[in-house]
Amino acid sequence: MSRPHRIASLACVVAITIAVFTSTADHCCMAAPPADPTRADQAIKAGEFSVAKSLPAETIPGTRDRWLAQVASAQSLSGESSAAAATVRQIETPADRQSVLNNSMGAVRRGAPQGGGSFADFDSLMNLIETTVVPDTWEALGGNSTMAPYPQGVYVDAAGTVEIAHLPSDDQSLAKGAIANLDALLAADLESQTRDWRAPSEMRFVSLRRLRDEITARRMTGVPLGDSLLNLAGLSRVQYLFLTDDDIILAAPTSGIDLDRGWYVDRQSGRATLRSDFLARCLAASQAGTPFGCTIDPTPAGMQAAMEVAGQIRSGQIPIGKSADQLQSALGMQRVEVFGAAGDTSVALLMVEADRHMKQLALGQQPMPEGVANYLDVVDDMIDQGPPNGLLLRLWFTAQRQAVRCDSEKRVFEIAGNAVRLSGENQRALADGGRGDVTVDPRSAQFVAGFNRNWARIRDQYPVYGALESLYRVAAVSHLIDRFGAEGVHRDLASALASEDEARDWNLPAPKQVESIATMHTVRKGNKRHHVLLASGGVSVATDATVKSAIATYPTLDGHASLVRQRPVAVNHWWWDGR
């Protein structure tokens, strides 16, 4: 019966009682005792937590979730961490759940920092950010030169990570394959299977509701999250997203997980595993409607000094053999700005590392995969159009919209496609250190196209790009949850997981500056030599840019909303395999 109907029925019964049996009505009105904070508090102080949890709703102060939060906090502070975690599982309101963590984690936080799983070689990354990049020995050549300062970044917007595919709704052949096999995959005996998250699976499922409870339990007991939880049980992509009545479930096949240079990657695809801290960051960004990312840019003073040095190089006042050193010195330290997110997180350091490494690839300081051209190679190939001169080459990572289709009730979503791409544009560098109008440079366009075309090969050679790709994949998931999730169920669950974005499992310094990179490149055309001097000055994630606004209904997915009901009986099994 709906709530308005229940209220109407109750009012009718009370009216009849008052009209016929006035004294009985008075007795009925007095039968339910008022909230008694003293009685409730006494139960907690006496350690009678089972009694406290079973008190009638009308006898406890505030809402039931708030009261359970008080009980869980008291259980945790008294040392009953496991019981407290069990109580927290009964709390649905994100704020009340978070209050338990805030009240019970003080002792843990005052102790030694709790570690989690490994994350790609932070020491190397911090050294990369904090120390000077030693340039190669420059070739001592005479002649003219040109300069192209080189800033860029990373940009993540969850709303731009997926694209809704317009598929023919009556094409039953498209339902074959993985979708058609879901019934069989979920029919496995879930309790008898092994619990190795790094093992292959025909279809692995992760419950975000149970994941939330597992994170809460570990936070309250001071247990590290561990590699399986940090890496979402080995998922390297989300093929299916299920919005059930009380849960959000992610599913995809996995070919087994290997550790590759500090990163966990799928054995067959080479994709890095999705991470729970990345998911928390993207869920928080989706709910706030705020993109996040990083930029690495020279200061205006550095730009002005660099333009002055360029003029001296052209006039011969600075020998060409010393030009790269002089330009790097003129540019000085370049600013690292992390926007829309805290700078002392694994996400921030990943974005800065990926941005920095991409510059090194473009300028030839790190090798591209065989047969893939860097920016200098493109300059060589297009020297007939002249060398670049006075250009600001801006490159940044952003979302490649993924294709999504859903059932008629928008409860089952299938996601496919690449998640990230490199973008670029050019501006004129002005003598005062400013930036002029956007210009067209076919060299940068060709380099960007080649980088994106060979993304999988670059990612396989350098796992940092696989980790960056995983960030955009969970950004797409977070946008779909925010866009189609039910208020009070899926969005509350997302809010609880998003609160993990505030957690700090590592003492990470926020990157502030990086040393400039400068290189001189000589191009020969006939009997003429061109000396091209390039100097390096982001990443952006906007969750609402991950999908197109129109979503195609795919009726063959209608029958799969109920398939995720066959889950492990044990509530602490937050992931499971289907066969």
Side-chain angles (χ1 to χ4, degrees):
M1 183 181 295
S2 66
R3 187 172 182 273
H5 289 168
R6 288 199 302 271
I7 295 173
S9 299
L10 178 60
C12 181
V13 171
V14 172
I16 294 174
T17 303
I18 291 174
V20 181
F21 306 105
T22 304
S23 59
T24 304
D26 293 340
H27 176 75
C28 290
C29 292
M30 298 173 61
D36 186 357
T38 301
R39 178 188 176 192
D41 289 341
Q42 287 176 344
I44 290 182
K45 291 178 180 178
E48 297 177 348
F49 300 124
S50 296
V51 174
K53 290 169 63 175
S54 63
L55 289 175
E58 63 270 16
T59 65
I60 60 176
T63 64
R64 176 169 174 77
D65 276 1
R66 188 167 301 173
W67 172 244
L68 289 175
Q70 294 181 44
V71 175
S73 296
Q75 288 175 308
S76 178
L77 294 175
S78 67
E80 298 184 19
S81 299
S82 297
T87 301
V88 172
R89 290 193 184 100
Q90 303 175 39
I91 302 174
E92 297 299 331
T93 308
D96 293 327
R97 294 177 63 92
Q98 189 61 39
S99 71
V100 179
L101 289 175
N102 295 340
N103 292 334
S104 61
M105 290 176 62
V108 173
R109 292 192 182 280
R110 286 192 294 270
Q114 299 297 319
S118 61
F119 186 84
D121 194 4
F122 284 127
D123 290 337
S124 297
L125 175 57
M126 287 183 280
N127 288 335
L128 173 68
I129 294 172
E130 296 172 353
T131 62
T132 300
V133 178
V134 180
D136 296 331
T137 302
W138 307 111
E139 181 184 8
L141 296 172
N144 296 324
S145 66
T146 56
M147 183 187 71
Y150 187 82
Q152 59 277 308
V154 182
Y155 186 81
V156 186
D157 182 348
T161 60
V162 296
E163 172 179 344
I164 303 308
H166 295 279
L167 301 173
S169 60
D170 57 350
D171 189 350
Q172 296 298 316
S173 64
L174 295 177
K176 295 181 179 179
I179 298 177
N181 290 333
L182 281 180
D183 283 305
L185 294 174
L186 285 166
D189 180 3
L190 299 173
E191 290 303 310
S192 65
Q193 59 189 282
T194 60
R195 302 290 299 168
D196 184 3
W197 69 275
R198 296 177 62 169
S201 173
E202 294 181 44
M203 189 66 68
R204 180 155 294 164
F205 298 86
V206 171
S207 161
L208 295 192
R209 181 184 183 88
R210 296 184 180 196
L211 177 70
R212 174 201 65 184
D213 292 340
E214 182 68 17
I215 291 174
T216 300
R218 296 193 183 197
R219 293 292 188 204
M220 294 176 64
T221 56
V223 175
L225 296 186
D227 287 340
S228 64
L229 195 149
L230 283 169
N231 292 278
L232 287 182
L235 291 183
S236 62
R237 65 185 177 107
V238 175
Q239 183 175 1
Y240 300 105
L241 168 66
F242 299 89
L243 301 179
T244 71
D245 290 341
D246 64 348
D247 203 351
I248 301 169
I249 296 177
L250 315 180
T254 174
S255 302
I257 303 302
D258 291 327
L259 189 61
D260 183 7
R261 289 162 284 180
W263 303 93
Y264 285 108
V265 299
D266 186 90
R267 192 170 298 150
Q268 179 174 325
S269 70
R271 289 186 296 262
T273 55
L274 309 181
R275 290 179 56 95
S276 58
D277 51 349
F278 292 5
L279 178 61
R281 167 86 290 271
C282 291
L283 288 169
S286 290
Q287 293 187 338
T290 304
F292 62 94
C294 76
T295 61
I296 301 178
D297 283 310
T299 64
M303 283 288 294
Q304 186 171 2
M307 295 303 293
E308 293 174 356
V309 167
Q312 295 171 3
I313 294 171
R314 292 190 185 97
S315 65
Q317 299 177 52
I318 296 178
I320 193 66
K322 298 181 178 180
S323 58
D325 289 335
Q326 292 289 326
L327 179 62
Q328 182 170 328
S329 176
L331 278 171
M333 299 298 289
Q334 302 196 27
R335 298 172 302 182
V336 174
E337 179 184 357
V338 177
F339 61 88
D344 59 345
T345 64
S346 56
V347 170
L349 290 177
L350 167 67
M351 293 189 299
V352 174
E353 182 184 13
D355 182 21
R356 178 72 169 173
H357 193 274
M358 180 260 290
K359 296 175 176 65
Q360 294 175 325
L361 284 180
L363 298 186
Q365 296 201 347
Q366 292 287 344
M368 282 284 202
E370 185 177 356
V372 182
N374 62 30
Y375 183 74
L376 299 178
D377 294 330
V378 175
V379 170
D380 290 352
D381 293 341
M382 304 183 69
I383 195 60
D384 287 338
Q385 300 184 34
N389 186 22
L391 290 179
L392 287 166
L393 173 58
R394 296 190 60 83
L395 301 173
W396 67 95
F397 289 111
T398 189
Q400 173 69 45
R401 293 180 182 268
Q402 297 180 77
V404 176
R405 55 190 184 186
C406 66
D407 67 328
S408 59
E409 295 184 359
K410 293 182 173 55
R411 302 290 294 275
V412 181
F413 300 85
E414 185 182 13
I415 309 172
N418 296 325
V420 61
R421 62 186 173 91
L422 187 65
S423 296
E425 67 179 20
N426 296 89
Q427 291 177 297
R428 286 288 175 188
L430 303 180
D432 62 359
R435 300 172 182 179
D437 295 335
V438 174
T439 62
V440 176
D441 176 26
R443 304 166 197 83
S444 60
Q446 182 170 316
F447 168 71
V448 167
F451 194 101
N452 290 329
R453 187 169 56 251
N454 292 280
W455 170 260
R457 296 180 60 195
I458 296 171
R459 180 195 64 198
D460 291 346
Q461 185 163 325
Y462 299 106
V464 63
Y465 298 111
L468 182 68
E469 180 180 29
S470 72
L471 178 63
Y472 285 93
R473 291 191 181 280
V474 294
V477 171
S478 69
H479 172 67
L480 291 173
I481 293 172
D482 185 64
R483 182 173 172 184
F484 297 103
E487 196 71 45
V489 180
H490 307 118
R491 292 190 179 182
D492 280 0
L493 175 53
S495 294
L497 287 167
S499 65
E500 270 293 295
D501 189 45
E502 302 297 324
R504 295 294 181 270
D505 292 324
W506 302 278
N507 183 22
L508 305 177
K512 299 295 184 182
Q513 293 180 315
V514 294
E515 186 77 14
S516 297
I517 303 173
T519 186
M520 186 185 68
H521 180 67
T522 299
V523 187
R524 297 181 181 271
K525 176 63 177 177
N527 59 359
K528 187 174 183 180
R529 291 181 299 182
H530 299 277
H531 304 295
V532 181
L533 192 62
L534 297 113
S536 163
V539 176
S540 177
V541 184
T543 57
D544 60 353
T546 60
V547 293
K548 287 186 176 179
S549 57
I551 294 185
T553 299
Y554 196 57
T556 52
L557 289 172
D558 286 351
H560 298 285
S562 62
L563 296 180
V564 291
R565 292 175 184 168
Q566 299 184 44
R567 311 179 207 176
V569 175
V571 295
N572 62 340
H573 288 182
W574 57 271
W575 67 269
W576 66 96
D577 288 332
R579 294 193 294 270

